[in-house]
Amino acid sequence: MKYIMLSYMLEESSPVHIGLQEPQIIPNAQISKGGGYNSYIINVENHSGTHVDAPGHFLEGGKIISEYKPDELVFNNPLILEVPKKQNELIKLEEVSNLNLEGINCIFFRTGFGKYREKDSETYLTSNPGIESELVYWLRKNYPEIKCIGIDCISMSSYQKPEEGKKAHLNAFMKNEELGEPLLLVEDMDLEIDEKLDSVETVFIIPWQIKGIDSAPCVVMAKINR
Ligand SMILES: [Zn+2]
């Protein structure tokens, strides 16, 4: 048994959504400059790096990430699904609708787009694949045990298809009698792992513990069964 990260380390150079402030990690007191200790000031928008979106991101009064209990952030039956995608392509309902997802409580979509993150951040940010809104609705309606989905792209929304992306977010978060609990959405995940996808046994999503914010940067740790 071992543990791996499915989240990226946050750096000043981390690619962030177009329009967001870039992360600042500023040395404050520094021993090398004659200080008595080391410390840093960290200035980061909450949708930077690997982060988890909660309903309050799109819905006024929606549940916010700081209201989630630890029990709601541990997933004992995750599925990492291989769905190779080219630039601007959407993950479609028909790719998932014939799978048996009984018992699964969390799905991470591996599009392979993570390979652009370092080498071509422009492509990573502006040509990313996304998820079809209809698929999100279908998952909530048919598999209420699924409480979280994630993706190895900067967003669930394809940058080139913002309307469809907004719908996908709303379908994840909205209150609707036909649907169960809203979903959490983990974006900018590191799914470029060497381990076999089905060896991922348990996933822990650990958002920064900051009161009152809609969503938060997070650590995603996975327990690997080998
Ligand atoms: Zn976000």
Side-chain angles (χ1 to χ4, degrees), residues 75-79 102-106 201-202:
F75 299 93
N76 291 314
N77 207 354
L79 173 67
E102 222 51 67
I104 301 292
N105 49 18
C106 165
E201 199 179 81
T202 307

Side-chain angles (χ1 to χ4, degrees), residues 18 76 89 91 96 126 128 155-156 171 210:
I18 308 288
N76 291 314
E89 276 184 344
I91 305 162
V96 180
T126 61
N128 64 294
S155 176
M156 294 283 159
N171 281 352
I210 299 174

Side-chain angles (χ1 to χ4, degrees), residues 93-113:
L93 174 56
E94 67 229 33
E95 295 174 70
V96 180
S97 58
N98 52 7
L99 302 178
N100 180 6
L101 303 175
E102 222 51 67
I104 301 292
N105 49 18
C106 165
I107 303 183
F108 299 140
F109 294 99
R110 182 158 89 169
T111 67
F113 219 66

Side-chain angles (χ1 to χ4, degrees), residues 17 47 51 53 57 187:
H17 292 291
H47 294 267
H51 66 279
D53 284 355
H57 183 31
E187 297 176 324

Side-chain angles (χ1 to χ4, degrees), residues 178-194:
E178 281 191 32
L179 306 177
E181 294 285 297
L183 296 173
L184 288 171
L185 304 181
V186 189
E187 297 176 324
D188 198 15
M189 290 186 77
D190 183 4
L191 299 179
E192 301 282 298
I193 55 174
D194 297 327

